[in-house]
Amino acid sequence: MAIGGMAVEGQGGSDNCFNGKITFAVVIISIVAASGGLIFGFDIGISGGVTTMRPFLEKFFPSILKKAASAGAETNVYCVYDSEVLTAFTSSLYIAGLVASLVAGRLTAAIGRRNIMVVGGCTFFAGAAMNGAAQNISMLILGRILLGFGVGFTNQATPVYLSEMAPSKWRGAFSTGFQFFIGLGIVTANCINYATSKLSWGWRLSLGLAIVPSATMSIGALLISDTPSSLVDRGKLEQAKQSLAKVRGTNDNIEIEAELADLIKSCEIARASKEEPFVTIFKRQHRPHLVMSIFIPFFQQMTGINIIAFYAPVLFRSVGFGNNSALLGAVILGLVNLGSILVSTGIVDRFGRRFLFILGGVQMLICQVAIVSTLAASIGENGSKHITKQYAALVLALMCIYAAGFGWSWGPLSWLIPSEIFPINIRSTGQSISVAMNFATTFVLSQTFLAMLCHFKYGAFLFFSGWIAVMTIFIVMFMPETKGVALNSMHQVWERHWFWGRYVKDQS
Protein backbone atom coordinates (compact mmCIF):
# COMPACT_ATOMS: atom_id res chain seq x y z
CA MET A 1 0.00 0.00 0.00
CA ALA A 2 1.22 3.56 -0.67
CA ILE A 3 0.46 6.77 1.09
CA GLY A 4 -0.97 10.00 -0.36
CA GLY A 5 -3.74 8.22 -2.22
CA MET A 6 -1.47 6.13 -4.48
CA ALA A 7 -2.58 2.55 -4.90
CA VAL A 8 -0.34 -0.46 -4.70
CA GLU A 9 0.89 -1.85 -8.00
CA GLY A 10 -1.83 -3.76 -9.74
CA GLN A 11 -4.53 -2.29 -7.56
CA GLY A 12 -6.04 -0.05 -10.24
CA GLY A 13 -8.91 -2.41 -10.77
CA SER A 14 -11.54 0.23 -11.32
CA ASP A 15 -9.69 1.70 -14.23
CA ASN A 16 -8.53 -1.61 -15.60
CA CYS A 17 -12.19 -2.65 -15.92
CA PHE A 18 -12.45 0.24 -18.40
CA ASN A 19 -9.83 -1.13 -20.79
CA GLY A 20 -11.24 -1.67 -24.27
CA LYS A 21 -14.83 -1.25 -23.09
CA ILE A 22 -16.65 1.65 -24.70
CA THR A 23 -20.39 1.79 -24.12
CA PHE A 24 -23.04 3.99 -25.69
CA ALA A 25 -23.76 5.54 -22.30
CA VAL A 26 -20.17 6.60 -21.63
CA VAL A 27 -19.89 8.09 -25.13
CA ILE A 28 -23.06 10.18 -24.74
CA ILE A 29 -22.16 11.26 -21.20
CA SER A 30 -18.67 12.27 -22.31
CA ILE A 31 -19.99 14.28 -25.26
CA VAL A 32 -22.43 16.14 -23.02
CA ALA A 33 -19.68 16.84 -20.46
CA ALA A 34 -17.13 17.88 -23.09
CA SER A 35 -19.61 20.46 -24.37
CA GLY A 36 -18.45 22.52 -21.39
CA GLY A 37 -15.62 23.59 -23.69
CA LEU A 38 -18.17 25.36 -25.92
CA ILE A 39 -18.51 28.36 -23.63
CA PHE A 40 -14.75 28.89 -23.36
CA GLY A 41 -14.22 28.58 -27.11
CA PHE A 42 -17.25 30.73 -27.94
CA ASP A 43 -15.94 33.54 -25.77
CA ILE A 44 -12.43 33.35 -27.26
CA GLY A 45 -13.84 33.70 -30.77
CA ILE A 46 -16.49 36.31 -30.01
CA SER A 47 -14.31 38.69 -27.99
CA GLY A 48 -11.68 38.85 -30.73
CA GLY A 49 -14.21 39.50 -33.48
CA VAL A 50 -16.36 42.19 -31.88
CA THR A 51 -13.27 44.31 -31.17
CA THR A 52 -12.95 44.91 -34.92
CA MET A 53 -16.62 45.91 -35.40
CA ARG A 54 -16.98 49.64 -35.98
CA PRO A 55 -20.26 50.12 -34.02
CA PHE A 56 -18.72 48.35 -31.01
CA LEU A 57 -15.60 50.52 -31.16
CA GLU A 58 -17.67 53.68 -31.65
CA LYS A 59 -19.64 52.98 -28.47
CA PHE A 60 -16.88 51.76 -26.17
CA PHE A 61 -13.46 52.51 -27.72
CA PRO A 62 -13.71 55.61 -29.96
CA SER A 63 -10.04 56.44 -29.43
CA ILE A 64 -9.05 53.39 -31.49
CA LEU A 65 -11.13 54.57 -34.44
CA LYS A 66 -9.54 58.01 -34.22
CA LYS A 67 -6.10 56.41 -34.20
CA ALA A 68 -7.00 54.24 -37.21
CA ALA A 69 -8.48 57.20 -39.10
CA SER A 70 -5.38 59.31 -38.57
CA ALA A 71 -3.00 56.51 -39.65
CA GLY A 72 -0.77 57.75 -42.42
CA ALA A 73 1.84 56.15 -44.61
CA GLU A 74 4.49 56.36 -41.89
CA THR A 75 2.21 55.13 -39.09
CA ASN A 76 3.14 51.87 -37.39
CA VAL A 77 0.07 49.74 -38.16
CA TYR A 78 1.08 47.32 -35.41
CA CYS A 79 0.08 49.99 -32.87
CA VAL A 80 -3.41 50.94 -34.08
CA TYR A 81 -5.19 48.61 -31.62
CA ASP A 82 -2.86 49.22 -28.68
CA SER A 83 -5.36 50.23 -25.97
CA GLU A 84 -5.21 49.39 -22.27
CA VAL A 85 -9.00 49.57 -21.96
CA LEU A 86 -9.49 47.24 -24.95
CA THR A 87 -7.10 44.67 -23.46
CA ALA A 88 -8.88 45.04 -20.09
CA PHE A 89 -12.11 44.05 -21.85
CA THR A 90 -10.48 40.80 -22.99
CA SER A 91 -8.27 40.01 -20.00
CA SER A 92 -10.78 40.76 -17.20
CA LEU A 93 -12.36 37.36 -17.90
CA TYR A 94 -9.11 35.57 -17.15
CA ILE A 95 -8.37 37.13 -13.80
CA ALA A 96 -11.93 36.21 -12.75
CA GLY A 97 -11.40 32.71 -14.11
CA LEU A 98 -8.21 32.38 -12.09
CA VAL A 99 -10.04 33.16 -8.83
CA ALA A 100 -12.96 30.87 -9.74
CA SER A 101 -10.72 27.93 -10.62
CA LEU A 102 -8.99 28.05 -7.23
CA VAL A 103 -12.33 28.16 -5.42
CA ALA A 104 -13.69 25.40 -7.64
CA GLY A 105 -11.12 22.89 -6.40
CA ARG A 106 -12.68 22.69 -2.95
CA LEU A 107 -16.24 23.01 -4.29
CA THR A 108 -15.74 20.20 -6.80
CA ALA A 109 -14.61 17.85 -4.06
CA ALA A 110 -17.56 18.90 -1.87
CA ILE A 111 -20.49 18.92 -4.33
CA GLY A 112 -19.18 16.99 -7.32
CA ARG A 113 -17.86 17.56 -10.84
CA ARG A 114 -21.27 17.69 -12.53
CA ASN A 115 -22.76 20.27 -10.17
CA ILE A 116 -19.80 22.62 -10.65
CA MET A 117 -20.34 22.39 -14.41
CA VAL A 118 -23.98 23.44 -13.90
CA VAL A 119 -22.95 26.38 -11.68
CA GLY A 120 -20.38 27.45 -14.27
CA GLY A 121 -22.91 27.34 -17.09
CA CYS A 122 -25.46 29.43 -15.18
CA THR A 123 -22.85 32.05 -14.25
CA PHE A 124 -21.70 32.27 -17.85
CA PHE A 125 -25.33 32.70 -18.94
CA ALA A 126 -25.69 35.75 -16.67
CA GLY A 127 -22.47 37.28 -18.00
CA ALA A 128 -23.51 36.76 -21.62
CA ALA A 129 -26.87 38.44 -21.01
CA MET A 130 -25.17 41.43 -19.36
CA ASN A 131 -22.65 41.82 -22.18
CA GLY A 132 -25.36 41.70 -24.84
CA ALA A 133 -27.26 44.48 -23.04
CA ALA A 134 -24.17 46.53 -22.06
CA GLN A 135 -24.59 50.31 -22.14
CA ASN A 136 -21.15 51.30 -20.84
CA ILE A 137 -17.67 49.97 -20.14
CA SER A 138 -18.57 49.06 -16.55
CA MET A 139 -21.40 46.76 -17.65
CA LEU A 140 -19.20 45.29 -20.33
CA ILE A 141 -16.37 44.40 -17.94
CA LEU A 142 -18.74 43.20 -15.18
CA GLY A 143 -20.27 40.84 -17.73
CA ARG A 144 -16.78 39.64 -18.65
CA ILE A 145 -16.05 38.93 -14.98
CA LEU A 146 -19.20 36.78 -14.71
CA LEU A 147 -18.13 34.97 -17.87
CA GLY A 148 -14.76 34.41 -16.22
CA PHE A 149 -16.31 32.79 -13.17
CA GLY A 150 -18.35 30.52 -15.43
CA VAL A 151 -15.35 29.47 -17.49
CA GLY A 152 -13.22 28.99 -14.36
CA PHE A 153 -15.71 26.54 -12.87
CA THR A 154 -16.27 24.51 -16.05
CA ASN A 155 -12.60 24.37 -17.05
CA GLN A 156 -11.76 22.98 -13.63
CA ALA A 157 -14.49 20.34 -13.46
CA THR A 158 -14.90 19.10 -17.03
CA PRO A 159 -11.41 17.64 -17.77
CA VAL A 160 -11.44 15.76 -14.44
CA TYR A 161 -14.95 14.47 -15.19
CA LEU A 162 -13.86 13.15 -18.58
CA SER A 163 -10.71 11.46 -17.23
CA GLU A 164 -12.67 9.71 -14.50
CA MET A 165 -15.43 8.54 -16.85
CA ALA A 166 -13.32 7.43 -19.83
CA PRO A 167 -11.86 3.93 -20.32
CA SER A 168 -8.12 3.96 -19.54
CA LYS A 169 -7.25 2.62 -22.98
CA TRP A 170 -9.15 5.45 -24.67
CA ARG A 171 -8.84 8.19 -22.05
CA GLY A 172 -6.84 10.42 -24.39
CA ALA A 173 -9.45 10.27 -27.15
CA PHE A 174 -12.33 10.97 -24.76
CA SER A 175 -10.51 13.82 -23.05
CA THR A 176 -9.69 15.57 -26.34
CA GLY A 177 -13.43 16.12 -26.62
CA PHE A 178 -13.08 19.12 -24.30
CA GLN A 179 -10.57 20.80 -26.63
CA PHE A 180 -12.71 19.82 -29.63
CA PHE A 181 -15.67 21.72 -28.20
CA ILE A 182 -13.40 24.69 -27.43
CA GLY A 183 -12.41 24.66 -31.10
CA LEU A 184 -16.04 24.26 -32.17
CA GLY A 185 -16.99 27.23 -30.00
CA ILE A 186 -14.27 29.36 -31.61
CA VAL A 187 -15.36 28.46 -35.15
CA THR A 188 -19.03 29.06 -34.36
CA ALA A 189 -18.22 32.43 -32.81
CA ASN A 190 -16.09 33.48 -35.78
CA CYS A 191 -18.88 32.55 -38.18
CA ILE A 192 -21.38 34.56 -36.13
CA ASN A 193 -19.02 37.55 -36.09
CA TYR A 194 -18.62 37.34 -39.86
CA ALA A 195 -22.39 37.24 -40.31
CA THR A 196 -23.20 40.07 -37.88
CA SER A 197 -20.32 42.42 -38.70
CA LYS A 198 -22.42 44.41 -41.19
CA LEU A 199 -25.21 45.11 -38.67
CA SER A 200 -25.12 48.21 -36.47
CA TRP A 201 -26.21 46.08 -33.53
CA GLY A 202 -24.28 42.98 -34.64
CA TRP A 203 -21.89 43.15 -31.69
CA ARG A 204 -24.85 42.86 -29.26
CA LEU A 205 -26.07 39.78 -31.11
CA SER A 206 -22.59 38.24 -31.08
CA LEU A 207 -22.06 38.81 -27.36
CA GLY A 208 -25.63 37.93 -26.37
CA LEU A 209 -25.70 34.64 -28.29
CA ALA A 210 -23.23 33.25 -25.74
CA ILE A 211 -26.34 32.37 -23.71
CA VAL A 212 -27.03 29.54 -26.19
CA PRO A 213 -23.92 27.38 -25.50
CA SER A 214 -24.16 28.12 -21.76
CA ALA A 215 -27.81 27.03 -21.62
CA THR A 216 -27.05 23.95 -23.73
CA MET A 217 -24.21 22.89 -21.47
CA SER A 218 -26.10 23.57 -18.23
CA ILE A 219 -29.18 21.60 -19.29
CA GLY A 220 -27.03 18.77 -20.58
CA ALA A 221 -25.05 18.59 -17.34
CA LEU A 222 -28.28 18.28 -15.35
CA LEU A 223 -29.16 15.16 -17.35
CA ILE A 224 -25.95 13.21 -16.69
CA SER A 225 -24.70 11.50 -13.53
CA ASP A 226 -21.59 12.47 -11.60
CA THR A 227 -18.49 10.29 -11.84
CA PRO A 228 -18.36 7.13 -9.68
CA SER A 229 -15.11 8.36 -8.11
CA SER A 230 -16.68 11.65 -7.04
CA LEU A 231 -19.80 9.94 -5.69
CA VAL A 232 -17.76 7.45 -3.66
CA ASP A 233 -15.54 10.23 -2.35
CA ARG A 234 -18.69 12.02 -1.09
CA GLY A 235 -20.13 8.86 0.49
CA LYS A 236 -22.93 8.36 -2.05
CA LEU A 237 -22.29 4.67 -2.60
CA GLU A 238 -25.67 3.67 -4.02
CA GLN A 239 -25.54 6.49 -6.60
CA ALA A 240 -21.97 5.48 -7.42
CA LYS A 241 -23.11 1.93 -8.05
CA GLN A 242 -25.88 3.13 -10.36
CA SER A 243 -23.44 5.38 -12.23
CA LEU A 244 -21.02 2.48 -12.69
CA ALA A 245 -23.74 0.21 -14.03
CA LYS A 246 -24.84 2.89 -16.48
CA VAL A 247 -21.44 3.76 -17.94
CA ARG A 248 -20.32 0.09 -18.08
CA GLY A 249 -23.52 -0.98 -19.81
CA THR A 250 -23.83 -4.06 -17.64
CA ASN A 251 -26.07 -5.41 -14.90
CA ASP A 252 -23.44 -7.88 -13.71
CA ASN A 253 -23.68 -7.19 -9.99
CA ILE A 254 -20.44 -9.04 -9.17
CA GLU A 255 -18.42 -6.94 -11.64
CA ILE A 256 -19.98 -3.68 -10.45
CA GLU A 257 -19.51 -4.56 -6.77
CA ALA A 258 -15.84 -5.43 -7.37
CA GLU A 259 -15.18 -2.13 -9.10
CA LEU A 260 -17.09 -0.20 -6.47
CA ALA A 261 -15.08 -1.91 -3.72
CA ASP A 262 -11.86 -0.87 -5.48
CA LEU A 263 -13.02 2.74 -5.65
CA ILE A 264 -13.95 2.69 -1.97
CA LYS A 265 -10.53 1.30 -1.09
CA SER A 266 -8.77 4.01 -3.11
CA CYS A 267 -10.80 6.74 -1.42
CA GLU A 268 -10.05 5.29 2.04
CA ILE A 269 -6.33 5.34 1.25
CA ALA A 270 -6.68 8.92 0.01
CA ARG A 271 -8.35 10.01 3.26
CA ALA A 272 -5.76 8.27 5.45
CA SER A 273 -3.40 11.25 5.56
CA LYS A 274 -6.17 13.55 6.89
CA GLU A 275 -4.36 16.54 5.43
CA GLU A 276 -5.63 19.44 3.41
CA PRO A 277 -5.18 18.72 -0.33
CA PHE A 278 -3.31 22.02 -0.73
CA VAL A 279 -0.83 20.74 1.86
CA THR A 280 -0.58 17.22 0.45
CA ILE A 281 0.09 18.37 -3.10
CA PHE A 282 3.33 20.09 -2.02
CA LYS A 283 4.78 16.90 -0.54
CA ARG A 284 7.91 15.43 -2.11
CA GLN A 285 6.19 12.41 -3.67
CA HIS A 286 3.83 14.73 -5.55
CA ARG A 287 6.59 17.03 -6.84
CA PRO A 288 6.39 15.77 -10.46
CA HIS A 289 2.59 16.12 -10.50
CA LEU A 290 2.81 19.69 -9.17
CA VAL A 291 5.50 20.69 -11.66
CA MET A 292 3.45 19.37 -14.57
CA SER A 293 0.25 21.05 -13.34
CA ILE A 294 2.12 24.37 -13.39
CA PHE A 295 4.36 24.12 -16.43
CA ILE A 296 2.04 22.34 -18.88
CA PRO A 297 -0.68 25.07 -18.84
CA PHE A 298 1.98 27.79 -18.69
CA PHE A 299 3.69 26.45 -21.79
CA GLN A 300 0.34 25.96 -23.55
CA GLN A 301 -0.30 29.68 -23.36
CA MET A 302 3.30 30.56 -24.26
CA THR A 303 2.73 28.96 -27.65
CA GLY A 304 0.78 32.17 -28.32
CA ILE A 305 -2.27 30.27 -29.59
CA ASN A 306 -4.95 31.94 -27.48
CA ILE A 307 -3.49 35.36 -28.18
CA ILE A 308 -3.75 34.62 -31.89
CA ALA A 309 -7.29 33.28 -31.36
CA PHE A 310 -8.35 36.37 -29.33
CA TYR A 311 -6.81 38.85 -31.66
CA ALA A 312 -6.84 36.98 -35.00
CA PRO A 313 -9.16 39.53 -36.68
CA VAL A 314 -7.21 42.42 -35.12
CA LEU A 315 -3.94 40.77 -36.10
CA PHE A 316 -5.01 40.18 -39.68
CA ARG A 317 -6.21 43.77 -39.96
CA SER A 318 -2.93 45.00 -38.46
CA VAL A 319 -0.94 43.30 -41.21
CA GLY A 320 -3.13 44.62 -44.01
CA PHE A 321 -6.25 42.45 -44.34
CA GLY A 322 -9.59 44.20 -44.84
CA ASN A 323 -12.24 43.88 -42.13
CA ASN A 324 -14.26 41.12 -43.82
CA SER A 325 -11.10 39.34 -44.92
CA ALA A 326 -9.78 39.47 -41.36
CA LEU A 327 -12.95 37.88 -39.95
CA LEU A 328 -12.97 35.27 -42.72
CA GLY A 329 -9.31 34.50 -42.03
CA ALA A 330 -10.18 33.88 -38.37
CA VAL A 331 -12.92 31.43 -39.47
CA ILE A 332 -10.45 29.52 -41.65
CA LEU A 333 -7.93 29.41 -38.80
CA GLY A 334 -10.58 28.01 -36.46
CA LEU A 335 -11.67 25.32 -38.92
CA VAL A 336 -8.09 24.11 -39.35
CA ASN A 337 -7.65 23.95 -35.58
CA LEU A 338 -10.92 22.02 -35.23
CA GLY A 339 -9.90 19.48 -37.85
CA SER A 340 -6.52 18.91 -36.23
CA ILE A 341 -8.18 18.19 -32.88
CA LEU A 342 -10.08 15.36 -34.57
CA VAL A 343 -6.75 14.02 -35.81
CA SER A 344 -5.47 14.07 -32.23
CA THR A 345 -8.56 12.17 -31.06
CA GLY A 346 -7.76 9.37 -33.48
CA ILE A 347 -4.05 8.99 -32.74
CA VAL A 348 -3.37 10.14 -29.15
CA ASP A 349 -3.97 6.70 -27.65
CA ARG A 350 -1.98 4.98 -30.39
CA PHE A 351 1.14 7.14 -30.64
CA GLY A 352 1.05 8.57 -27.12
CA ARG A 353 1.24 11.97 -25.48
CA ARG A 354 5.00 12.55 -25.76
CA PHE A 355 5.11 11.96 -29.52
CA LEU A 356 2.32 14.48 -30.20
CA PHE A 357 3.78 17.05 -27.81
CA ILE A 358 7.14 16.92 -29.57
CA LEU A 359 5.74 16.79 -33.13
CA GLY A 360 3.42 19.73 -32.46
CA GLY A 361 6.19 21.74 -30.82
CA VAL A 362 8.56 21.36 -33.78
CA GLN A 363 5.77 22.21 -36.24
CA MET A 364 4.74 25.36 -34.35
CA LEU A 365 8.36 26.50 -33.95
CA ILE A 366 9.04 26.30 -37.69
CA CYS A 367 5.81 28.15 -38.51
CA GLN A 368 6.44 30.96 -36.01
CA VAL A 369 9.90 31.62 -37.45
CA ALA A 370 8.46 31.53 -40.98
CA ILE A 371 5.73 34.04 -39.99
CA VAL A 372 8.38 36.42 -38.64
CA SER A 373 10.35 36.18 -41.88
CA THR A 374 7.24 36.71 -44.02
CA LEU A 375 6.05 39.78 -42.09
CA ALA A 376 9.56 41.26 -42.12
CA ALA A 377 9.77 40.86 -45.89
CA SER A 378 6.22 41.99 -46.67
CA ILE A 379 5.36 44.99 -44.47
CA GLY A 380 8.68 45.94 -42.89
CA GLU A 381 9.63 46.81 -39.35
CA ASN A 382 7.12 49.65 -38.99
CA GLY A 383 4.36 48.02 -41.00
CA SER A 384 4.40 50.96 -43.40
CA LYS A 385 4.38 48.79 -46.54
CA HIS A 386 1.13 47.51 -48.03
CA ILE A 387 0.98 43.73 -47.88
CA THR A 388 0.41 41.99 -51.20
CA LYS A 389 -2.23 39.30 -51.68
CA GLN A 390 0.50 36.69 -52.08
CA TYR A 391 2.15 37.57 -48.78
CA ALA A 392 -1.25 37.80 -47.03
CA ALA A 393 -2.13 34.31 -48.27
CA LEU A 394 1.24 33.02 -47.06
CA VAL A 395 0.74 34.52 -43.58
CA LEU A 396 -2.69 32.87 -43.37
CA ALA A 397 -1.31 29.53 -44.58
CA LEU A 398 1.52 29.58 -42.04
CA MET A 399 -0.89 30.44 -39.23
CA CYS A 400 -3.12 27.55 -40.31
CA ILE A 401 -0.21 25.08 -40.20
CA TYR A 402 0.74 26.51 -36.81
CA ALA A 403 -2.86 26.13 -35.56
CA ALA A 404 -2.91 22.53 -36.81
CA GLY A 405 0.27 21.76 -34.86
CA PHE A 406 -1.30 23.16 -31.71
CA GLY A 407 -4.62 21.39 -32.37
CA TRP A 408 -3.20 17.87 -32.31
CA SER A 409 -0.69 18.45 -29.51
CA TRP A 410 -0.60 21.18 -26.88
CA GLY A 411 -4.29 22.05 -27.29
CA PRO A 412 -6.00 18.88 -26.06
CA LEU A 413 -3.03 17.38 -24.20
CA SER A 414 -2.62 20.36 -21.88
CA TRP A 415 -6.09 19.63 -20.49
CA LEU A 416 -5.60 15.87 -20.50
CA ILE A 417 -2.28 15.54 -18.65
CA PRO A 418 -3.18 17.46 -15.44
CA SER A 419 -6.53 15.66 -15.24
CA GLU A 420 -5.02 12.16 -15.39
CA ILE A 421 -1.76 12.27 -13.40
CA PHE A 422 -3.02 13.06 -9.87
CA PRO A 423 -4.19 10.55 -7.25
CA ILE A 424 -7.84 10.97 -6.30
CA ASN A 425 -7.28 12.84 -3.02
CA ILE A 426 -5.57 15.78 -4.77
CA ARG A 427 -7.05 15.44 -8.28
CA SER A 428 -9.44 18.39 -7.93
CA THR A 429 -6.75 20.50 -6.28
CA GLY A 430 -4.23 19.68 -8.98
CA GLN A 431 -6.70 20.56 -11.71
CA SER A 432 -7.49 23.84 -9.94
CA ILE A 433 -3.82 24.79 -9.87
CA SER A 434 -3.49 23.86 -13.54
CA VAL A 435 -6.50 25.93 -14.63
CA ALA A 436 -5.44 28.85 -12.43
CA MET A 437 -1.99 28.86 -14.05
CA ASN A 438 -3.64 28.74 -17.47
CA PHE A 439 -5.77 31.77 -16.65
CA ALA A 440 -2.94 33.67 -14.96
CA THR A 441 -0.68 33.28 -17.98
CA THR A 442 -3.50 34.10 -20.38
CA PHE A 443 -4.36 37.21 -18.37
CA VAL A 444 -0.80 38.53 -18.53
CA LEU A 445 -0.45 37.78 -22.23
CA SER A 446 -3.85 39.17 -23.24
CA GLN A 447 -3.20 42.32 -21.21
CA THR A 448 0.20 42.90 -22.82
CA PHE A 449 -0.01 41.42 -26.33
CA LEU A 450 -1.27 44.50 -28.20
CA ALA A 451 1.45 46.61 -26.56
CA MET A 452 3.95 43.85 -27.39
CA LEU A 453 2.77 43.83 -31.02
CA CYS A 454 3.20 47.62 -31.12
CA HIS A 455 6.74 47.61 -29.70
CA PHE A 456 8.14 44.27 -30.93
CA LYS A 457 6.31 44.35 -34.30
CA TYR A 458 6.74 40.98 -36.01
CA GLY A 459 9.30 40.12 -33.31
CA ALA A 460 6.33 39.25 -31.05
CA PHE A 461 6.11 35.95 -32.92
CA LEU A 462 9.82 35.37 -32.36
CA PHE A 463 9.17 35.77 -28.62
CA PHE A 464 6.64 32.92 -28.71
CA SER A 465 8.85 30.74 -30.90
CA GLY A 466 11.57 30.90 -28.24
CA TRP A 467 9.14 29.58 -25.64
CA ILE A 468 8.01 26.80 -28.00
CA ALA A 469 11.63 25.63 -28.25
CA VAL A 470 11.96 25.63 -24.45
CA MET A 471 8.76 23.69 -23.82
CA THR A 472 9.56 21.07 -26.46
CA ILE A 473 12.88 20.38 -24.72
CA PHE A 474 11.01 20.23 -21.40
CA ILE A 475 8.73 17.48 -22.73
CA VAL A 476 11.68 15.49 -24.10
CA MET A 477 13.46 15.64 -20.74
CA PHE A 478 10.73 15.47 -18.11
CA MET A 479 7.39 14.18 -19.44
CA PRO A 480 6.84 10.39 -19.11
CA GLU A 481 4.35 8.55 -21.32
CA THR A 482 0.94 8.09 -19.69
CA LYS A 483 -1.13 6.50 -22.48
CA GLY A 484 -3.19 3.49 -21.43
CA VAL A 485 -2.14 3.70 -17.77
CA ALA A 486 -4.93 3.23 -15.21
CA LEU A 487 -5.52 6.31 -13.04
CA ASN A 488 -4.91 4.31 -9.85
CA SER A 489 -1.61 2.99 -11.26
CA MET A 490 -0.29 6.31 -12.59
CA HIS A 491 2.41 6.51 -9.88
CA GLN A 492 4.32 3.76 -11.72
CA VAL A 493 5.23 6.04 -14.66
CA TRP A 494 6.89 8.48 -12.27
CA GLU A 495 8.76 5.73 -10.41
CA ARG A 496 10.33 4.54 -13.68
CA HIS A 497 11.31 8.04 -14.87
CA TRP A 498 15.03 8.90 -14.82
CA PHE A 499 14.49 12.18 -12.96
CA TRP A 500 11.17 11.97 -11.13
CA GLY A 501 11.84 8.49 -9.78
CA ARG A 502 13.94 9.92 -6.95
CA TYR A 503 10.90 11.85 -5.67
CA VAL A 504 8.26 9.11 -5.74
CA LYS A 505 10.26 5.97 -4.88
CA ASP A 506 10.54 4.68 -1.34
CA GLN A 507 7.44 6.61 -0.22
CA SER A 508 5.57 3.54 0.95
Side-chain angles (χ1 to χ4, degrees):
M1 185 178 292
I3 65 172
M6 292 188 294
V8 295
E9 185 170 347
Q11 180 188 317
S14 62
D15 284 341
N16 290 333
C17 289
F18 271 165
N19 286 339
K21 195 170 184 179
I22 299 178
T23 65
F24 178 76
V26 79
V27 170
I28 296 300
I29 287 171
S30 297
I31 290 174
V32 172
S35 69
L38 269 177
I39 63 174
F40 189 28
F42 193 91
D43 179 77
I44 290 173
I46 285 294
S47 60
V50 296
T51 53
T52 65
M53 295 182 185
R54 186 176 185 86
F56 178 81
L57 294 174
E58 285 176 345
K59 185 170 183 64
F60 299 108
F61 308 101
S63 60
I64 292 176
L65 287 178
K66 291 179 181 177
K67 189 187 296 186
S70 62
E74 301 302 319
T75 300
N76 186 344
V77 298
Y78 292 107
C79 298
V80 170
Y81 289 91
D82 181 18
S83 165
E84 291 183 2
V85 182
L86 179 61
T87 52
F89 162 72
T90 300
S91 60
S92 56
L93 180 146
Y94 300 97
I95 196 68
L98 187 158
V99 174
S101 62
L102 292 175
V103 173
R106 185 177 293 274
L107 289 177
T108 302
I111 67 174
R113 298 21 167 163
R114 187 204 68 164
N115 292 333
I116 287 296
M117 291 160 59
V118 174
V119 171
C122 293
T123 309
F124 193 93
F125 185 98
M130 180 169 289
N131 269 355
Q135 297 298 320
N136 50 54
I137 287 288
S138 298
M139 282 186 71
L140 200 64
I141 292 182
L142 180 57
R144 294 286 294 171
I145 291 172
L146 288 173
L147 294 176
F149 280 117
V151 169
F153 286 136
T154 54
N155 283 13
Q156 193 279 338
T158 304
V160 174
Y161 184 99
L162 291 170
S163 281
E164 291 182 345
M165 278 295 198
S168 296
K169 186 178 179 181
W170 306 107
R171 189 171 58 244
F174 275 81
S175 295
T176 58
F178 182 67
Q179 182 68 28
F180 175 81
F181 275 99
I182 291 177
L184 182 61
I186 292 174
V187 170
T188 302
N190 285 333
C191 290
I192 290 173
N193 283 336
Y194 184 73
T196 62
S197 60
K198 297 179 177 64
L199 302 174
S200 61
W201 46 274
W203 64 270
R204 289 195 184 277
L205 185 58
S206 290
L207 293 176
L209 279 175
I211 65 174
V212 176
S214 60
T216 302
M217 189 215 73
S218 300
I219 294 171
L222 286 171
L223 300 177
I224 60 177
S225 64
D226 211 339
T227 68
S229 295
S230 177
L231 291 168
V232 169
D233 195 38
R234 291 182 286 136
K236 299 185 177 184
L237 302 186
E238 188 59 36
Q239 292 182 36
K241 184 177 178 179
Q242 293 173 3
S243 180
L244 278 172
K246 186 174 183 179
V247 297
R248 300 299 178 271
T250 179
N251 292 319
D252 187 336
N253 196 54
I254 296 176
E255 181 181 333
I256 296 300
E257 288 288 353
E259 186 167 353
L260 181 63
D262 186 73
L263 284 173
I264 293 171
K265 186 176 182 180
S266 296
C267 288
E268 288 174 349
I269 294 171
R271 295 192 192 103
S273 64
K274 296 181 180 179
E275 289 182 331
E276 282 291 317
F278 269 103
V279 174
T280 304
I281 201 170
F282 286 96
K283 285 193 169 184
R284 179 179 173 85
Q285 69 263 35
H286 299 311
R287 190 72 49 79
H289 312 72
L290 182 62
V291 168
M292 291 299 163
S293 70
I294 293 173
F295 279 93
I296 293 292
F298 171 76
F299 284 140
Q300 185 201 44
Q301 295 309 310
M302 296 311 292
T303 63
I305 187 65
N306 273 355
I307 296 304
I308 288 178
F310 297 147
Y311 297 119
V314 171
L315 189 61
F316 286 139
R317 288 203 68 184
S318 294
V319 299
F321 285 61
N323 186 50
N324 287 340
S325 297
L327 290 172
L328 184 59
V331 172
I332 294 171
L333 204 62
L335 287 171
V336 170
N337 181 57
L338 193 61
S340 64
I341 296 169
L342 289 176
V343 173
S344 179
T345 301
I347 66 177
V348 64
D349 290 308
R350 175 172 297 182
F351 294 101
R353 285 63 157 150
R354 276 173 53 86
F355 173 78
L356 292 183
F357 267 134
I358 296 168
L359 176 65
V362 172
Q363 182 174 334
M364 287 188 290
L365 176 61
I366 293 172
C367 286
Q368 289 279 31
V369 173
I371 289 171
V372 170
S373 302
T374 304
L375 292 178
S378 59
I379 60 178
E381 182 178 351
N382 292 322
S384 55
K385 301 177 184 177
H386 181 72
I387 191 169
T388 64
K389 290 184 179 180
Q390 290 79 9
Y391 273 123
L394 181 57
V395 169
L396 179 58
L398 288 170
M399 285 190 175
C400 285
I401 299 171
Y402 161 83
F406 178 86
W408 58 53
S409 62
W410 283 85
L413 298 183
S414 295
W415 298 106
L416 169 60
I417 296 299
S419 70
E420 71 178 0
I421 61 175
F422 286 97
I424 190 172
N425 61 320
I426 55 173
R427 194 170 293 153
S428 292
T429 303
Q431 183 68 13
S432 290
I433 291 174
S434 178
V435 174
M437 175 56 67
N438 185 297
F439 281 132
T441 310
T442 307
F443 170 76
V444 173
L445 289 177
S446 60
Q447 190 65 32
T448 59
F449 175 69
L450 292 179
M452 184 192 304
L453 184 64
C454 177
H455 292 92
F456 289 179
K457 291 83 176 180
Y458 52 76
F461 294 97
L462 203 58
F463 168 81
F464 290 120
S465 67
W467 279 107
I468 293 172
V470 170
M471 70 194 205
T472 303
I473 295 171
F474 174 84
I475 292 296
V476 171
M477 298 292 292
F478 300 112
M479 182 68 217
E481 183 54 65
T482 58
K483 73 167 183 175
V485 180
L487 294 182
N488 287 346
S489 302
M490 194 63 70
H491 63 286
Q492 296 172 23
V493 304
W494 306 107
E495 291 175 352
R496 294 192 293 263
H497 192 267
W498 72 272
F499 182 78
W500 299 121
R502 72 189 71 178
Y503 291 96
V504 299
K505 285 180 180 178
D506 304 321
Q507 296 296 316
S508 298

